[in-house]
Amino acid sequence: MAAGDPLLVIEGLCKRFAATQALDAVDFALGAGEVHSLVGENGAGKSTLIRILGGITARDAGDIRLDGREVRFRGPREAREAGIVVIPQEMQLVPSASVAENVTLGAWPQKRLIGVLPVLDARAMRRRAAGLLAQLDFHRDLDTRVDAMSFAERQLVAIARALMHEARVLVLDEPTASLETREAERLFAVIAALKKRGVGIIYVSHRLDEVVALADRCTVLRDGCVVATCRRGEFEAEHLIRWMTGRDLDELRRPHESSFGPVHLDTGAEAGGIAVRRGELSGLAGLLGSGTSAVLRRVFGAATTPVTVTLRGEAHRFSRPAQAIAAGVGLVPEERRLGLVMGLSVRDNIALPNLEKLSSAFGLDVAQIDRLVGQMMESLDIRPRDPSLPVNQLSGGNQQKVIFARWLVGHVDTLLLDEPTQGIDVGAKARIHHLMRDFVEGGGAILFASSSMAEVMHMSDTVVAMRSGEIVARLTRGSPQYSEGALRAALAG
């Protein structure tokens, strides 16, 4: 490769799924030591492009050149061997294995026992893992199980494994979606170090402020087409929003017009003692490990120990989610795979918890299911508009909207939302915020958890701040104390 030539070049990339043109003549280039950000609404084609680069999905047309040489991968292993490593939002690590085992996975060093029998060379494995992790300023015990670590630590383990494969192109898909500010800053320092080593980084994020700060270049996709490519200093977040959506999103600043009824949900002392009125959006704010997710799981009957909650003035003791669903409670979990059957279609996932309501004496009302699913896909803008498509072929944001759709079809009046807009683009976020507000204005009640203080303050009628499983403050919209500064002070202790 001659000096100044791009490390990776994509020209005329096309991919169609049934009637949907996921990618339409996409051009993209990445230089060594460059951060090139890829942005777009959910369904714009980002996930398809990443899957093609990672050897997961075959392209229909177009050229991909690495170091000037045409490549066509028949699987993820061939992509990794060529130096392209994708770190997806849901990292593919072995939870029960150690740090050292995960870093060297797929390339465990061996030695000969008694000169004959091949066995794992644990010392060489640990030495190799330690060297890679040291480059990332990561110094946890190498024998620590991955499932005992934070998301940020697991992410560094995944990056270390990419370095072991001598990654030349590193694709980071929503890398800061579950990170606190301090952890995100540490990741940015790692990205800066990788740039100096000549690693080309494709950075996919819906956090546009990060894109503006990090990207040397940015490409915007809309409906499978490139609508803009610009260099650092040529764009701001507002430009990206207009290019991504084709409009300005004034709806993000929708005013609150709230009126509340009596207490609709009381979580009880066992789940924090939080009361949510009918027509109210109540936000749980806390840093990672604060206990906000645990509160939602307990109310939904997904905790190991049942708790008693009061719903519409009636006491319930939910020991399993089916009981909560039957009582009109729906949960949108932080990890989408926990809320979906990934191999089933969009249609079946939406209908699944509502089969009794969608049945008659003669069996499932197929016509009603098709009608309701079609309405939900249209109103929530679920893309592609193919109800038969397995949800594992949808982008993360569209998967999130499928979970919303199932509860809207089921007419629940209580929604528990854990990080409802995590990993979702600005357009989808605006739609989901509208759905949340419409839901409570229609007489429902929402208790949601978010690590984004801006989102909590923007959406909530009442904010409950939590630290180490305890409530440390309650802020009510309209009061003098209702400010992001007051919330930060409460969470910091």
Side-chain angles (χ1 to χ4, degrees), residues 97-173:
S98 70
V99 170
E101 290 167 338
N102 270 281
V103 169
T104 58
L105 190 65
W108 286 345
Q110 293 184 341
K111 62 181 179 180
R112 297 283 177 176
L113 186 63
I114 321 178
V116 179
L117 187 65
V119 296
L120 173 68
D121 189 339
R123 181 176 298 178
M125 176 185 70
R126 290 168 57 84
R127 185 169 59 249
R128 184 179 300 177
L132 293 166
L133 290 165
Q135 299 175 32
L136 306 177
D137 194 27
F138 180 90
H139 303 288
R140 278 290 295 266
D141 187 336
L142 296 175
D143 294 324
T144 302
R145 282 173 50 130
V146 162
D147 57 8
M149 300 191 309
S150 70
F151 183 92
E153 290 171 326
R154 296 198 302 271
Q155 193 172 62
L156 291 178
V157 170
I159 293 175
R161 189 164 73 189
L163 295 180
M164 186 201 66
H165 289 291
E166 299 182 349
R168 307 190 56 226
V169 174
L170 183 63
V171 183
L172 298 174
D173 188 8

Side-chain angles (χ1 to χ4, degrees), residues 425-468:
D425 64 72
V426 289
K429 181 181 292 187
R431 281 187 287 272
I432 285 179
H433 283 172
H434 264 295
L435 285 168
M436 292 168 65
R437 183 56 57 188
D438 289 344
F439 184 85
V440 295
E441 288 177 358
I446 289 179
L447 179 61
F448 78 101
S450 175
S451 55
S452 168
M453 293 189 200
E455 179 174 49
V456 169
M457 297 303 296
H458 170 67
M459 289 300 298
S460 302
D461 300 303
T462 302
V463 175
V464 177
M466 295 189 66
R467 189 173 66 244
S468 301

Side-chain angles (χ1 to χ4, degrees), residues 29 75 90 126 155 178 196 202 205 210 218 234 273 283 320 339 365 369 427 480:
E90 296 178 357
R126 290 168 57 84
Q155 193 172 62
S178 297
K196 290 179 180 178
I202 300 176
S205 179
E210 292 178 1
C218 182
E234 297 176 350
R320 60 183 189 277
D365 189 338
I369 292 173

